[in-house]
Structures are given as C-alpha cells and as structure tokens.
Amino acid sequence: MVQKIFPLLICSLLMSLSFLSNIQMGYASENSQTNETNAESSYYLIHYNGEKQEIGFNEETKLLLTGWADDAKSTVSGAISGITNDQEEKILQVSQGLNELPITENMSIYYRVIVSGEYKTELVTSLELNEHSTVIEKNENGTSIEEQYTIDQYDTLIKNHELVYYVTDENSQKIMITSEEYDVINAVKETTSVPAVNQSSVDTESIKATAMPSVVYSTHVQNYGWLSTVSDGKMSGTSGESKRMEAIKISLKNSPYSGDITYKTHVQNYGWLSPVSNGALSGTSGESKRMEAIQINLTGDMAQYYDIYYRVHAQTYGWLGWAKNGQSAGTQGLSKRLEAIEVVLVQKGASAPGATDQAFILDPSVSYTTHVQGYGWLKPVSDGKMSGTSGQSKRLEAIKISLKNLPYSGAITYKTHIEKYGWLHAVSNGALSGTSGESKRMEAIQLSLTGEMAKYYDIYYRVHAQTYGWLDWAKNGQSAGTEALSKRLEAIEIVLVEKGGTAPGATTRPFVKPSLISTNIHYNLTLNEALNMQMKASTAPQTDKYRNDPGYVSSQYLEMYDGGSITGTSVNLRTSPILTSDDNIAVNVGLGTAFLVLDKNVTGDVFSDSTLWYKIEYKGQVLYVHSSLSKIHSRVGRVTADQLVIRAEKNATSHVYGSAPKGTLLTVLEEDPIGWFRVGVGAWRNAKAADVQAFLNPINFINDEKQRLQFMNLTKPSDVPVSTLDKYLSGKGILANQGKAFIDAGNIYGINEVYLMAHTLLETGHGTSTLAKGVLYNGKTVYNMYGIGAYDACPLECGAKTAYEKGWFTPYQAIVGGAAFISDKYLRGNNSYNIVQNTLYEMRWNPEMLSTNKVAGHQYATDIGWAAKQVNTMYELYKLEPYTIYLEIPVYK
C-alpha cells in the first residue's frame, strides 16, 4: 500500500515545495552574516602554550593557569584567587565553542581556550557573527539533515541552532522541507533516490533561484602546508601565529548556473600572477614567498546572480575590509604577508558580509597642485610628476599637498618662502601655502612627514628655479629652491621613498643661497709697514716650514756631555720611576727635548713590557723617564751664553731660527771642527720676512675658493644642520657626535659653528690630543678643545689649569665654554684694545691694531699659517653642504 502511494506523495510534495519556495521558503544560508548577539558574545579568548600565566578579571579576582591537565592538551589546570584566602582549583576545556567558568555564586565568565605556540589573552566582543551549517546526515534517496550554528570573527562557536531538512531534486539542487516531510520521504526504505517527477509540475527556475551554491577553498601556509578545505566564509589560514599564506585553491560547488570562479594573487618578488580558475593553484609552493593580495571573480551566469566577497588578514593591519568581484584585497608595495582569508557568495545586490572600507592598501601616494601665474590652480598630480610649467617663465605662487592611501598614521606638513614675506608658517594636509591673488613668487619650500609615516618613509622633492633650472632633490624638511636671490620657482616634483631607500636623483644642491657676500675693510697703512711691525713683534712669527732643515750654533757657547733626548710627542718627566700616581709628574715635554743621563740602569714600574728607566737631569732637576720614551748615547750641549742664537747656516749672518737661554740643553747632532755644531731645533722656528708677507698679503688669497674663507665674518651663522656636522666628525676621536655642541655654542655666543668645529679639529689633532681627550687635574677630568691657556712652554699643565678654572668637565662644556672665550676676546672686541677681530685673518694678524697702535699685538697664534690652516676643514664641510659666506676683505694702502 505504501509503495503505491509514494510516487504520488513525492510529486505532491515537490509541487507544493516549488510553489512555497516562491513565497516563503529559501535555502539555508551557509555563510550569511547576522547581527544577532547573546550573553556569551563577550568572552576571554585564550591562546595557551602550557606555561604558567595569570589573567586578571578585576582588581580582586585572578585566574592562574598552571599547565596542561592532560597529555592530549584538551584541558588546562587553573585556580581562582582573590575571592577567599584559598585558591579554588578549576579545569578549563580546550574547544571551539564557549565554556562557562563559575567564579562565585553570582559571577561567571565565558572563555575559549586555543592550543598555541605563544600565549595571548584578549577580551573579545563578537561584533561580527556568521551563520554556518554542517551536514550530519545524508541519505541515498536525496534527503539530508544539516545542523546550523553561529561563529564569530575568531571562529568561536557562539550558538547552535535547529536542524534543517533538505530534499535533492533531479537537477541536484537542494530544497528545504519540514521534518514531517523528511520523515515521510524516508519512511520508504526501498527507494534509493527521489523518483523522476513531471517537469511541468516543478518550477525549475524557482528552484534555481533559491539554490545555494558553495565556494570552497584551501590555503598553503608556512610550515603547515595545505590546510583542510573550508567553505562559505570560514577562515583558512592562521591568526596570531605570524605565518604567511603562500598559495590558494578556490572552486565552486553546487553551482545552479553556468560559470566559473577565477582568481589571481600578488606574490612576493613576482607581483600579480596570471589568473587561474576552478581549484587551480595560485601562488607558490616550496619557494617560501608570501602572498600579499588577491582578486577573485565569478564568470558566466554565476556573475549575474551572485557577488563573490572576500577579505584577508594582513600582517600589521589584521582583518581588512571586504572586497568583491575582482577587487584587490590585501596590500601592495608594503611587503606585508597575508595570513588568512574568508570567501563567501552573496546573492546579487544583497548586503556585504561586513565593512568594505580599506580592503586593499597600496603604497602611499603624495598628491599636489600648484597655483601658477596666469593659469591659476593646475590639476592635481602625484608621485613625482611635475606640477607647474617649464620654459614659460611662470612663477609658482602657492601649493597644496596631501597624502593618500596611508598605510600608517601621520601627515605631511610644508612651508614656503614667499617674495617679501620670507618663510611662512607651516601648514598640512592639503592646506594652501603661499599666496593667491597677490602676484608674489614662491622662492623655496620645505616638506616633512609626521607620525608613523615619518618612521617608514622619506619625502623627497625638487624644484625648477629661475636661472638655475632643476635643482637637486631635498628631503625631510630640507630647503629646496633659492633664498635672497629674487628667483621664482616654476615647477615642483614630489615623491615618497621607503625609509632608507635610494633618492630619486642627485641630492648635492637642492637649495641655493648667496655663496659670497663681500665687503672691503680699508686700513691706514701699507702692506710693507704692516710687515715691518709683524717682524718686530715681541713674539716672533713662527713657521714649521723649515722643520726638517738643520740648525747651527757656535760651539764655543756649549759645554758638552753625554746625554739623551725624548722620542715621544708628549712625555711626562717624573720625580720617581712610578706610574701609579700622577703626583710625581714634574713636567710634560715634547719630541727632541734634550737631557743629561745620570743613571741608565734604574728599575721602576713596568711600561711597554719593560722596567728600565733613566735617571736624568733636566733644567737643573733630577727626574726620571722610561726608556721606551727616550734614547740615550747622544751628545748634549749646555748653553753657557745668556742667549745662544740658532741659525739656518754655519755663519753669523744667516737667518735666525731662534735662541736658547743660558742653561738650556741642546741635542748635538753633528760636531764640526770649524766651530759650528748642528743641533736639534724642533719644528717651530722664526719665519723669514718673505714667509710672513706671503701669509699677510690678502691678495694672495682673495681669489682662492678655499683660502678666501680666512676673511669670512665669523659672527654670521652657516645654518648647517647637526647631521652634516656629525657626519664630518665621524671618526674624529673625542669630537665624534659633538655637532650639536658646536651649533649650541654658535647660537649662544654668536659665532660661526663651522669655524668653531674647524678650529677645534686643528687644535686637538682631530680629537686625539691629550687635552682634548681629558686630563686629570685636582682630582677631576678636564677638557680643553681650543688650546686656551696652553702655552708653548706649558702646554699640558697650563691648558688643564685653564679648563679646571673654567669648569670644562665634559667635552660639551669645553666646546661651548671655549667658544665664549673666543667670542668675547676676539669677535666682540672685549679686550684691552677694544678691537673687534671677527675673521680668521684678523684674529691672526690684527690689522686694526697695526693701523691704530702701530704695533703688532693681541694675535691669536704665532704660526704665520694659522688662518690658512683653519680653512681646510671649513672648505671640506662647505663642499658637503654649501652655506652663505660673508667676507670682509682687508685692503692696505
């Protein structure tokens, strides 16, 4: 009986279903977003690694996780503390779904534990809930049962729903039925499939319209390989593990319409790959290359009835917004890996599964527009394109600049140098800088990034300036253009470059200021008059020009002894052969200093692997010197004349190098029977008149690009940045990274920072001299960077004493404090003569004193080449970054 009525029953059911499907029934959604929430939608998501961890629920209550409770890692041991004095033991379940953990009679929390290699706990509010379904029974006669459930964005099971019943028609399409209808159909066990039905009695188009196709996908993940296939919005990949996705396969199932699914991926080093379709691999396998973005499309009739949505979890950014129908999802140009993906089909025109903003993050872009004479505002351009004009002699008058596609927080700020106004205040993010309607030219510009953008990108820009054409590229706040030259800007290009990346072009000369501003200073004396006064100075002009030439003295004024001389450059002579104390230092002497040997076999402290010291006589004192710092077995002569003249040749009319007072010891290098002995003189000697004139005459230097810096006004700042000074000071001993000290000293005392640095480098032997590196004086380490107070006869002791009295206990204090002395006594004229000496030339020669007092005096150095030597460093720095030079040229009658 049952067998006879079954076909009629099935036909009846199918006809009623086809009718009802148009009115109220639809297929169960396998991945549709819902706004439904419940009490469990806020919970603790615990990524657990088996180590002891503590979770605080409030100020009093804490959960202590102590380790795995079983080898299978299915449960975790824990204890609640803070409610009572005793800890209450708890067992936590590892599961996909939520679990309730009672805390007190009136308090409990929901949690989910996930096995993980790294521990992390977060309080989750399930803002995005998605319905899914799982087939739990499928019969050969075409009927099936599916269980529906809800998960959130972390794949946490939030809610189980009712069972849903289906029957499959002859076109393999599922149609929802009631549980009663399911039972009726399955009551006939002999029937193995749904019998054929009268096609005219079934609304095929209605079935197609309500059929639910499925999208299935699998990803290849770093270290894991291919993951299990998931479908319809479930996550494939990893979250919180920093694992890259390397490839993907996507296909359609149960498709009610013709058409395929196609997709392509953006892969590390390769860029966008060619599209593939229907389960083919896109990406790489075995190459350890990250996927960075993806595009997915439907084709054929499927594209008419469905939208394909997808979103990705990207390194740094987390879950991005939903893209659809071929849009890009992920990042490009940022070297960020994809870690997970979700894909879902949505009926055409239906709502997206979630937010769709920022599905794809590109390289950031800089956009800008300029206001040009005669044209007004031009169309915006971006990323290195020219805005303005070329070859039309049109001035830029204003600019607006903004950033787009920002991968990080931050902004762009900029300011312009405008005719008659100078530098305007900085503006940002598309605001106008410059003028509109005033016909005033832009002359220069500065651009900077702020916030996180400044950490990851450099902003480069270059300008086309009147007369000069395209200048070089400036970056990160540097000036680009001209100043004080009345030159208009005519065009600009701006580009972003990843931090530390290569500049778009040359960067040597992005900004031009007047390189030379010259003023003549006239003096009321001739050059010869000035020379004669210099030659009669109380301290004769010195030179090291003849340092390798012999010096001679008359032998009749020497008493000869066996002796020795110093071989080191700065050697302490001590009152005892002990190195462990500085209290026994009698004097510090230089290379070539002569002494008498009293005992050549003294045992003392070890130095240079030797305990041999010499007992010597120096300037009437009995002292000691280590054998490695001196040599003996030489002839020494003691001066018997009041002043023994040292000459350039073996005759009494030759040039005088210097003199030695009575009692001085001279090393005799050669004893000549005719009465002239060759003696050790040292590097510094009296200069000849011709030598002095060569350095005194300004004409010898004014046309030399380097040497004219002797005439630079040292009260004018150079505006060189700290970074440039520090770059030059790299490897310069104690002066390394002291660029800020020179700039601070210049700002405080009104003195040129480049000169200060050059002066210090010369005085300290590029940061290596004893005084520069620090000397212990009265129990404190002191520094002297300018040799202030360090006289030829007392270089170390007197220089240290000056530093101690001035309070120069750090290199910074010595640089800044020494600048105060130079500025006050020379540049500001606070000396006994009230004479301002604000150039290197004036500090060395003091032509104002020659002109007014008719005598040489108040000169910074005795070295005739001192000013010329100072400019070497200044010029080298000028080549690195040009600065404005204000010259004061001395002119003699």
Side-chain angles (χ1 to χ4, degrees), residues 235-408:
M235 184 185 85
S236 183
T238 61
S239 178
E241 298 186 41
S242 301
K243 303 286 188 187
R244 64 179 172 268
M245 284 170 50
E246 298 175 350
I248 192 168
K249 298 176 183 177
I250 314 174
S251 58
L252 295 176
K253 286 191 175 180
N254 304 324
S255 179
Y257 303 103
S258 64
D260 298 319
I261 189 166
T262 64
Y263 44 98
K264 64 178 181 178
T265 53
H266 190 280
V267 176
Q268 174 186 355
N269 295 340
Y270 294 146
W272 286 105
L273 303 183
S274 299
V276 298
S277 61
N278 299 337
L281 181 151
S282 182
T284 62
S285 179
E287 297 187 38
S288 301
K289 294 194 182 298
R290 64 182 172 266
M291 281 174 53
E292 298 176 345
I294 191 169
Q295 297 174 355
I296 308 176
N297 261 311
L298 297 174
T299 65
D301 288 344
M302 277 297 292
Q304 298 181 27
Y305 292 97
Y306 286 90
D307 294 317
I308 183 83
Y309 279 91
Y310 41 97
R311 69 169 184 167
V312 294
H313 191 282
Q315 177 186 355
T316 304
Y317 301 106
W319 285 107
L320 300 178
W322 290 88
K324 75 170 183 176
N325 300 344
Q327 294 174 342
S328 297
T331 70
Q332 183 174 325
L334 299 174
S335 301
K336 302 295 183 183
R337 64 180 172 267
L338 297 191
E339 298 176 353
I341 189 171
E342 295 174 354
V343 190
V344 64
L345 290 167
V346 173
Q347 286 187 329
K348 181 64 72 175
S351 298
T356 58
D357 58 317
Q358 204 177 31
F360 184 57
I361 301 176
L362 281 164
D363 269 339
S365 177
V366 57
S367 174
Y368 43 100
T369 178
T370 52
H371 192 279
V372 176
Q373 173 188 357
Y375 293 135
W377 287 105
L378 303 185
K379 291 182 179 180
V381 297
S382 61
D383 303 324
K385 292 183 180 178
M386 186 186 81
S387 183
T389 62
S390 179
Q392 299 184 36
S393 301
K394 301 285 187 183
R395 64 177 173 267
L396 297 187
E397 298 177 348
I399 192 169
K400 299 176 183 178
I401 313 173
S402 58
L403 297 177
K404 294 183 178 180
N405 303 325
L406 292 192
Y408 304 101

Side-chain angles (χ1 to χ4, degrees), residues 652-890:
T653 60
S654 63
H655 175 67
V656 176
Y657 281 149
S659 63
K662 188 174 184 178
T664 302
L665 296 177
L666 298 176
T667 299
V668 177
L669 304 175
E670 180 183 300
E671 297 182 47
D672 192 323
I674 67 172
W676 289 92
F677 287 178
R678 185 162 67 91
V679 297
V681 183
W684 292 102
R685 310 179 188 187
N686 292 342
K688 299 176 182 178
D691 300 327
V692 176
Q693 185 180 35
F695 287 97
L696 181 64
N697 190 353
I699 294 176
N700 293 335
F701 306 111
I702 56 177
N703 294 318
D704 186 300
E705 188 178 51
K706 182 197 323 185
Q707 287 300 326
R708 68 189 179 192
L709 296 178
Q710 292 184 49
F711 313 120
M712 187 173 76
N713 186 333
L714 301 181
T715 66
K716 302 286 188 180
S718 299
D719 297 327
V720 176
V722 172
S723 59
T724 300
L725 295 184
D726 281 341
K727 179 179 178 181
Y728 190 82
L729 290 169
S730 177
K732 301 297 192 298
I734 195 71
L735 298 177
N737 298 315
Q738 290 293 336
K740 185 176 185 301
F742 291 108
I743 288 179
D744 287 350
N747 290 335
I748 294 170
Y749 298 111
I751 187 169
N752 184 278
E753 64 275 24
V754 175
Y755 154 69
L756 283 177
M757 189 185 75
H759 188 152
T760 304
L761 286 168
L762 182 64
E763 292 289 347
T764 64
H766 287 249
T768 62
S769 72
T770 302
L771 271 175
K773 292 188 293 184
V775 175
L776 194 65
Y777 189 88
N778 284 351
K780 298 206 69 171
T781 301
V782 297
Y783 303 84
N784 192 327
M785 300 299 187
Y786 303 92
I788 297 170
Y791 307 111
D792 292 341
C794 181
L796 197 62
E797 175 78 11
C798 296
K801 181 175 182 292
T802 299
Y804 182 85
E805 293 171 349
K806 298 290 186 181
W808 299 339
F809 303 125
T810 67
Y812 180 93
Q813 291 173 335
I815 292 170
V816 176
F821 174 84
I822 295 170
S823 177
D824 187 52
K825 298 300 182 183
Y826 290 88
L827 275 63
R828 303 302 169 193
N830 293 325
N831 50 63
S832 57
Y833 305 101
N834 294 321
I835 293 176
V836 171
Q837 297 164 263
N838 61 5
T839 70
L840 291 171
Y841 181 91
E842 291 173 358
M843 290 175 67
R844 171 57 190 92
W845 300 111
N846 200 356
E848 178 64 26
M849 187 164 182
L850 298 177
S851 178
T852 56
N853 293 28
K854 306 302 180 184
V855 65
H858 200 256
Q859 298 172 341
Y860 192 87
T862 58
D863 178 9
I864 60 174
W866 180 82
K869 293 173 183 177
Q870 292 282 347
V871 302
N872 291 327
T873 297
M874 296 167 65
Y875 182 67
E876 288 177 15
L877 193 66
Y878 179 81
K879 288 191 296 183
L880 286 180
E881 183 152 346
Y883 48 84
T884 305
I885 301 174
Y886 298 87
L887 300 182
E888 293 186 359
I889 309 296

Side-chain angles (χ1 to χ4, degrees), residues 584-694:
N584 64 347
I585 297 175
V587 65
N588 182 272
V589 296
L591 178 68
T593 301
F595 55 79
L596 299 182
V597 179
L598 303 179
D599 188 344
K600 60 183 178 181
N601 289 301
V602 177
T603 300
D605 284 354
V606 176
F607 182 73
S608 295
D609 298 324
S610 173
T611 59
L612 179 61
W613 290 67
Y614 299 141
K615 183 178 181 181
I616 66 173
E617 179 186 327
Y618 176 74
K619 289 189 175 180
Q621 288 183 282
V622 176
L623 302 172
Y624 295 84
V625 64
H626 193 270
S627 59
S628 67
L629 301 173
S630 57
K631 65 179 181 180
I632 58 175
H633 308 299
S634 61
R635 296 283 285 165
V636 173
R638 189 197 302 273
V639 175
T640 60
D642 290 338
Q643 287 288 337
L644 179 59
V645 175
I646 304 172
R647 295 187 177 273
E649 298 175 13
K650 297 179 181 181
N651 61 71
T653 60
S654 63
H655 175 67
V656 176
Y657 281 149
S659 63
K662 188 174 184 178
T664 302
L665 296 177
L666 298 176
T667 299
V668 177
L669 304 175
E670 180 183 300
E671 297 182 47
D672 192 323
I674 67 172
W676 289 92
F677 287 178
R678 185 162 67 91
V679 297
V681 183
W684 292 102
R685 310 179 188 187
N686 292 342
K688 299 176 182 178
D691 300 327
V692 176
Q693 185 180 35

Side-chain angles (χ1 to χ4, degrees), residues 2 5-6 9-10 13 141 143 177-189:
V2 172
I5 67 168
F6 182 70
L9 175 62
I10 295 300
L13 287 171
N141 62 6
T143 59
I177 60 176
T178 66
S179 60
E180 290 81 8
E181 291 169 337
Y182 177 88
D183 291 337
V184 171
I185 295 173
N186 285 284
V188 185
K189 299 299 183 182

